[in-house]
Amino acid sequence: MDGFQNSRMGPLKKKQKRMQPSSFPNKYKTKFNDIVLFIVERKMGTRRRVFLTELARRKGFRVEDYLSDYVTHVIAENNSGAEVLEWLQAETSRIISSFTILDISWFTECMGAGEPVEIERKHQLTRQDNCFSKSDILQPPPVPPVPQYACQRRTTIENHNRTFTNAFEILAEHYEFHENKGSCLAYRRAASVLKSLPFAIVAMRDVDGLPGFGDQIKGIVEEILEDGESSKVKEVLSDGWHKSIKLFTTIFGVGLKTAVKWHKLGIRTLEEIKEDKNLRLTNMQIAGLQHYEDLIGGVSNAEADEIIMLAKKAFCTFLPDAVVTLTGGFRSVSET
């Protein structure tokens, strides 16, 4: 593996194939593909915006978390059309296609009907034909800088850059196995930064100025954008040493040093560990092998659904408008 550790981190070559990452979650089935909503947080607040977003997605509407070029309808509450445009100018530089700005009353009627309703004059907030395009907003400001420290960043519910963060986490794990703390930390930081972004990375300019994104990190991003995958990640995942260490460290009670020692002894599978009478296993390792499948198995969809329903029932007893969202491992289960 020394050859890998000393190899160039940048992409080997450029290709024409490109990814088209999606910026909206697919937790609920989308029924109305021709309508893409963006809900303005101004004068509404984060909590209400999250609640309305969840409600619309449950009803089958597609809702973007940021003003992408897919957006067709911008929804605002207690705002004029001019106020909405001024707010958008200060919040985003991603205004590409035209969109219609509507009052929350149209959204409310759609939720009640369970489908899009006809847009009437009372719903419209903008002047003339109520449609603004890129030419209406001149020289929008750049996206606000991402804070250097994770504790200063706003936590997003959705990870819009899962392809990139998965790659960085695999590389971080690889260097952790090799006890290369510097490289491990660099990739974990890069993954953390991308998880905090409210939009999907679609071009190299999107990572300009991000903290911790040096030439090596950018090389991985560029290769994934062009090829859809990282050659370094593929190399790691196909390496026998990495596979063995990852397998062994998933056993309860087995750390990195023990995993490396077993690999040096020529052990490659769990069965070989169980059958080797010369290995002196601790009580935790014995239990870890006996209950391996149960311990590494994820929570089932049914179990996750039952837990979240109990939580929602309890919260809504005291706060009827409370928004309860699965996070962590439970959220991963609910999205698979």
Side-chain angles (χ1 to χ4, degrees), residues 67 85 88-89 95 99 132-140:
L67 192 60
L85 287 174
L88 294 175
Q89 280 184 297
I95 300 176
F99 50 82
F132 282 78
S133 65
K134 184 178 180 180
S135 60
D136 291 297
I137 300 179
L138 302 177
Q139 298 179 341

Side-chain angles (χ1 to χ4, degrees), residues 14-68:
K14 294 185 177 181
K15 296 181 180 179
Q16 297 299 316
K17 183 175 61 175
R18 297 187 61 80
M19 288 176 53
Q20 295 293 332
S22 173
S23 63
F24 66 97
N26 57 5
K27 180 179 178 181
Y28 302 107
K29 182 179 180 181
T30 301
K31 300 179 182 177
F32 315 108
N33 294 314
D34 294 335
I35 293 180
V36 182
L37 308 180
F38 171 76
I39 301 176
V40 176
E41 191 170 310
R42 184 179 188 274
K43 294 187 180 181
M44 177 183 295
T46 303
R47 178 179 173 183
R48 178 161 169 77
R49 180 174 186 256
V50 170
F51 170 76
L52 294 179
T53 297
E54 179 78 4
L55 174 63
R57 287 172 176 164
R58 286 204 306 266
K59 296 285 187 177
F61 288 81
R62 173 174 167 179
V63 185
E64 294 277 63
D65 289 325
Y66 72 101
L67 192 60
S68 74

